[in-house]
Amino acid sequence: MPVEEALEQLLKLAEQAPIAETEVVTLAEAEGRVLAEDLLAELDLPPWPNSAMDGYALRLSDWQGEPLPVSQRIFAGHAPQPLQPGSCARIFTGAPLPEGADCVEMQENVELLEDGRVSFLEPLRVDQNVRPQGQETRAGEQVMNKGTRLGPIELGLAATLGRARLKVVRRVRVAVLSTGDELVEPGLPLGPGQIYNSNRRLLASWLQRLGCEVVDVGIVADDLQITRDCLAGLADVDLILSTGGVSVGEADYLGIALREAGELALWKLAIKPGKPLTFGHYRGVPVIGLPGNPASTLVTFGLLTRPYLLRRQGVTEVTPLRFSVPAGFDWTKAGTRREYLRARIEQGRVRIYKNQSSGVLRSAAWAEGLVEVLEGSTPRQGDSVSFIPLSELLG
Ligand code: AMP
Ligand code: MG
């Protein structure tokens, strides 16, 4: 199955199971959440024209080239008096323009005369250094759409609108299972044949960054009854996310348990790393089974599971930004699967990590992004390749 098709199917499945519940939270609590309402401006912002500079406000038609007396001082946060005809007002950045003024000259371009009058040294024009009323937004305009992910900038904008609380989609609850008899948690000694569980921490931290609530199930032994019991004990989650146990030829306990109490599809994706992927339902709860090798987990989570989870929260924009960069490597062997190489940009060219084994997570820690090498293609030094920054996938 081509990557695009898998993604399209997953997004369709996500749209069939939207997280419908919402909650109202403070801006401080809204970081990383998904907006569940359209945000409209209630006011013109700024509500009045104001000065973009420290300087002097005047009415241009009052000025015939002669110096003007200063009739008031206007600081930010204070209401001005109407401008006295034939005078100017000392004004500071962000202060409202007095009624009657239509121009601000910055203080660097004036001369203060001994009698207190101000001589304007440069030609002036109407609206100069004036921030018009409503330059950020007009009352009634839609400023943010439902389905927007809220980061620092969106929260800053909500604050600009005067919003203290926002309606957001409730967090997605994701159960994380690490299958494998060989797995041991960090901190414990390794026995013969054992390795440390990488994926549990990798996925739990990543899910938290995506605003999900993690139900941390830990290690699930390669045993049918244990797998059944584990699934049966999962109440009230929106997704069951497992790693391992989906390789061809392995006793696939998750698959067996799902066939008994649900349904499942086994996909062979044209993706490297990460060919096998399970999608199913257990008692109505969607299940995604990712391959166990950490780099495969990373790629299939980042490219397929992340957009699925975002779309379930109603996020419209789930496609990571990517850009074209000249290759700093020669790829000689055309593949039948789309490859995502762990890579970084050095001196304007993209370099790939020397060992692209799916079992090597250091490749991804070294990398700044993934280079996409299309099926059948053999990019050479200087050819354009598509680069997806890891920061796009992680946030
Ligand atoms: P599997 O799909 O269970 O056959 O796993 C494929 C490979 O990934 C094997 O080498 C496993 O040892 C490894 N693996 C599976 N789960 C994890 C995990 N949670 N952390 C690190 N490696 C894993
Ligand atoms: Mg396994």
Side-chain angles (χ1 to χ4, degrees):
M1 185 188 291
V3 179
E4 297 96 329
E5 193 182 322
L7 180 60
E8 200 179 305
Q9 285 208 29
L10 280 171
L11 292 179
K12 213 175 284 168
L13 288 159
E15 282 156 21
Q16 287 162 11
I19 307 295
E21 298 92 332
T22 61
E23 55 185 328
V24 174
V25 297
T26 65
L27 292 191
E29 295 161 334
E31 162 70 45
R33 308 293 295 272
V34 176
L35 195 59
E37 58 175 330
D38 291 330
L39 270 203
L40 301 180
E42 287 172 19
L43 304 168
D44 282 0
L45 293 170
W48 14 258
N50 63 87
S51 179
M53 290 283 177
D54 290 343
Y56 295 84
L58 65 156
R59 185 206 298 269
L60 201 56
S61 59
D62 276 3
W63 182 62
Q64 314 296 342
E66 76 287 8
L68 296 177
V70 178
S71 54
Q72 62 176 315
R73 293 165 73 80
I74 312 166
F75 294 95
H78 297 270
Q81 301 295 320
L83 186 68
Q84 275 178 29
S87 76
C88 64
R90 181 73 169 118
I91 195 164
F92 298 93
T93 307
L97 227 62
E99 198 185 309
D102 56 13
C103 166
V104 172
E105 178 57 298
M106 57 188 201
Q107 60 195 21
E108 290 81 355
N109 290 346
V110 307
E111 190 185 342
L112 275 180
L113 304 182
E114 281 190 353
D115 62 6
R117 287 182 307 157
V118 176
S119 178
F120 295 90
L121 307 175
E122 303 280 331
L124 302 173
R125 53 180 180 75
V126 167
D127 290 338
Q128 146 179 342
N129 297 323
V130 175
R131 300 168 175 164
Q133 173 174 342
Q135 82 162 3
E136 177 78 88
T137 178
R138 287 287 179 187
E141 257 180 59
Q142 186 162 320
V143 178
M144 264 190 275
N145 302 338
K146 193 172 160 172
T148 300
R149 293 185 71 206
L150 301 166
I153 295 170
E154 291 74 20
L155 293 173
L157 185 53
T160 301
L161 300 181
R163 292 291 301 256
R165 290 164 182 279
L166 297 170
K167 190 159 100 174
V168 298
V169 180
R170 83 145 161 78
R171 291 187 193 278
V172 188
R173 279 190 288 272
V174 182
V176 177
L177 288 62
S178 313
T179 76
D181 277 346
E182 73 279 32
L183 301 178
V184 175
E185 288 305 339
L188 297 172
L190 281 183
Q194 293 184 318
I195 59 168
Y196 288 118
N197 182 359
S198 317
N199 295 338
R200 177 188 187 182
R201 183 51 25 219
L202 173 73
L203 290 177
S205 296
W206 201 341
L207 286 161
Q208 272 155 4
R209 276 208 179 188
L210 295 176
C212 301
E213 194 181 310
V214 175
V215 177
D216 188 359
V217 178
I219 296 166
V220 181
D222 291 322
D223 176 277
L224 183 55
Q225 195 51 44
I226 290 175
T227 306
R228 279 190 194 123
D229 293 347
C230 169
L231 289 174
L234 288 172
D236 217 18
V237 297
D238 303 302
L239 176 69
I240 298 168
L241 183 63
S242 80
T243 61
V246 289
S247 309
V248 185
E250 173 164 348
D252 177 6
Y253 302 105
L254 182 74
I256 298 169
L258 284 180
R259 274 192 208 95
E260 286 173 357
E263 43 170 302
L264 113 153
L266 264 178
W267 294 349
K268 280 209 179 73
L269 305 180
I271 192 172
K272 190 175 175 189
K275 180 161 72 175
L277 192 128
T278 301
F279 188 91
H281 285 93
Y282 178 81
R283 298 186 178 157
V285 179
V287 182
I288 293 180
L290 302 178
N293 276 308
S296 308
T297 300
L298 182 146
V299 166
T300 50
F301 184 86
L303 296 176
L304 298 167
T305 316
R306 174 187 177 275
Y308 168 86
L309 284 168
L310 293 177
R311 186 54 62 83
R312 285 200 58 191
Q313 297 170 76
V315 177
T316 36
E317 196 42 72
V318 298
T319 313
L321 174 93
R322 56 176 67 206
F323 46 87
S324 288
V325 190
F329 59 90
D330 287 314
W331 195 253
T332 47
K333 212 171 139 228
T336 53
R337 295 186 276 159
R338 188 165 300 184
E339 288 216 42
Y340 291 93
L341 307 170
R342 275 73 72 208
R344 66 194 298 171
I345 296 173
E346 278 169 10
Q347 281 141 19
R349 295 212 162 192
V350 66
R351 279 187 50 208
I352 56 175
Y353 193 72
K354 55 182 188 293
N355 185 341
Q356 293 286 335
S357 161
S358 58
V360 177
L361 195 53
R362 270 178 80 183
S363 60
W366 174 88
E368 298 166 334
L370 301 174
V371 162
E372 189 179 61
V373 177
L374 298 180
E375 296 89 326
S377 80
T378 50
R380 302 301 168 111
Q381 291 274 352
D383 290 352
S384 268
V385 288
S386 195
F387 183 84
I388 306 169
L390 279 176
S391 55
E392 276 291 299
L393 302 176
L394 289 171

